Amino acid sequence: MIPLAGYRAEHFRLGIEGAVATITLDRPERKNPLTFESYAELGALFRAAAREEQVKVFVLAGAGGNFCSGGDVHEIIGPLIERDTKGLMQFTAMTGELVKAMRACPQPIIAAVDGVAAGAGAILAMSADLRLATPRAKVAFLFNRVGLAGCDMGACAILPRIIGQGRASELLYLGRSMGAEEGLNWGFFNAVHAPEELAGKAAALASEIAEGPSFGHAMTKRMLQMEWAMSVEQAIEAEAVAQALCMTTGDFRRAYEAFAAKQRPVFKGD
């Protein structure tokens, strides 16, 4: 695996500054739609992140005032009409693989949502760990508008856990847009910033997270996901094991030594 610092993305922009990698969907003339190729490359990148040591946090954004308009109508939707059931299953499996890769990726992912986040774009935002928005953000799970079910790419599993069953049902049945203020009130967005501040705020949040214990963050992300299917008793037992593992790291010792010396700890991820 080539370290991300040496990776040359083909279907989006990838920039790395320090411990933060920024992925920018870069087809602004079409509001940054996804293609077969960008789906596959994004999924492969997030899978490879498990073996990445430099990058501690990802930021996912779109160019030109929009996040992502979903699957490209001409490059994806049109060709799908001509596929048989096997071909369609291959496509839906690939799109689901992207979400699984984002959730399995040990690094926290921050979605910086400006403008349109529709269809698969809404799924990308949903699948991130944290979401920042601008006042003009519009998130729409509009699968029913094209004659499909709302249960796409994990939406019926993940979205209710973020905003609640009733609110998720409303968005998935109606396919309507959720604005920035509504998304903030519902807990979908963590914060709303002016468009000109979004990139800087996302970078600052990513840098703050990156300064923390990367092994500990990866364990937090893993347990947040695993505990969905656990009882409280099972979760407590699993967290006991997870925390004991974290106590074997150098970062745990460094934190103690820094506390004893009345200094701020510097974490190294080991």
Side-chain angles (χ1 to χ4, degrees):
M1 168 62 189
I2 300 174
L4 290 186
Y7 179 75
R8 296 294 176 262
E10 294 184 39
H11 303 288
F12 45 82
R13 284 192 282 120
L14 175 66
I16 298 176
E17 187 170 343
V20 177
T22 300
I23 297 170
T24 305
L25 304 177
D26 193 18
R27 299 179 69 196
E29 72 284 354
R30 303 278 291 278
K31 299 182 181 179
N32 308 313
L34 295 172
T35 64
F36 293 119
E37 294 77 15
S38 58
Y39 266 119
E41 187 175 15
L42 284 167
L45 182 71
F46 284 121
R47 284 295 185 191
R51 301 184 296 276
E52 169 64 32
E53 296 184 355
Q54 176 186 343
V55 172
K56 309 299 183 186
V57 183
F58 284 95
V59 173
L60 182 59
N66 287 291
F67 184 67
C68 175
S69 58
D72 189 288
V73 173
H74 301 292
E75 296 184 42
I76 288 185
I77 308 302
L80 288 179
I81 300 297
E82 307 302 324
R83 288 195 180 193
D84 60 12
T85 301
K86 181 179 178 180
L88 292 171
M89 283 294 297
Q90 290 173 340
F91 170 72
T92 54
M94 179 185 68
T95 61
E97 170 60 25
L98 172 54
V99 174
K100 289 190 285 185
M102 291 177 70
R103 300 313 310 145
C105 164
Q107 296 91 339
I109 303 170
I110 300 169
V113 182
D114 190 13
V116 170
I123 296 290
L124 286 179
M126 176 197 76
S127 302
D129 298 282
L130 297 163
R131 288 159 292 277
L132 305 182
T134 69
R136 61 192 182 194
K138 294 183 182 297
V139 179
F141 299 85
L142 42 66
F143 305 107
N144 72 315
R145 299 290 183 90
V146 293
L148 299 176
C151 55
D152 197 63
M153 300 171 70
C156 286
I158 301 173
L159 188 61
R161 290 178 167 91
I162 299 173
I163 64 175
Q165 186 81 6
R167 290 165 173 169
S169 298
E170 179 182 336
L171 294 182
L172 296 177
Y173 281 127
L174 297 180
R176 70 167 179 83
S177 294
M178 172 178 60
E181 183 177 354
E182 184 176 42
L184 181 63
N185 292 336
W186 283 7
F188 187 82
F189 292 121
N190 296 89
V192 176
H193 302 289
E196 65 273 13
E197 296 179 350
L198 181 63
K201 293 291 186 180
L205 178 59
S207 295
E208 183 176 356
I209 294 173
E211 290 176 358
S214 56
F215 184 87
H217 286 336
M219 190 63 75
T220 297
K221 181 169 180 174
R222 177 179 296 180
M223 298 313 294
L224 280 169
Q225 174 124 333
M226 288 177 60
E227 290 179 32
W228 286 358
M230 294 181 183
S231 67
V232 174
E233 290 78 8
Q234 290 171 326
I236 291 171
E237 291 297 320
E239 290 190 3
V241 175
Q243 204 69 300
L245 288 174
C246 289
M247 291 175 183
T248 68
T249 65
D251 279 344
F252 180 63
R253 177 174 294 277
R254 291 184 193 97
Y256 167 73
E257 292 173 347
F259 179 81
K262 298 182 178 180
Q263 298 175 347
R264 182 177 179 179
V266 176
F267 297 115
K268 298 183 179 180
D270 60 349

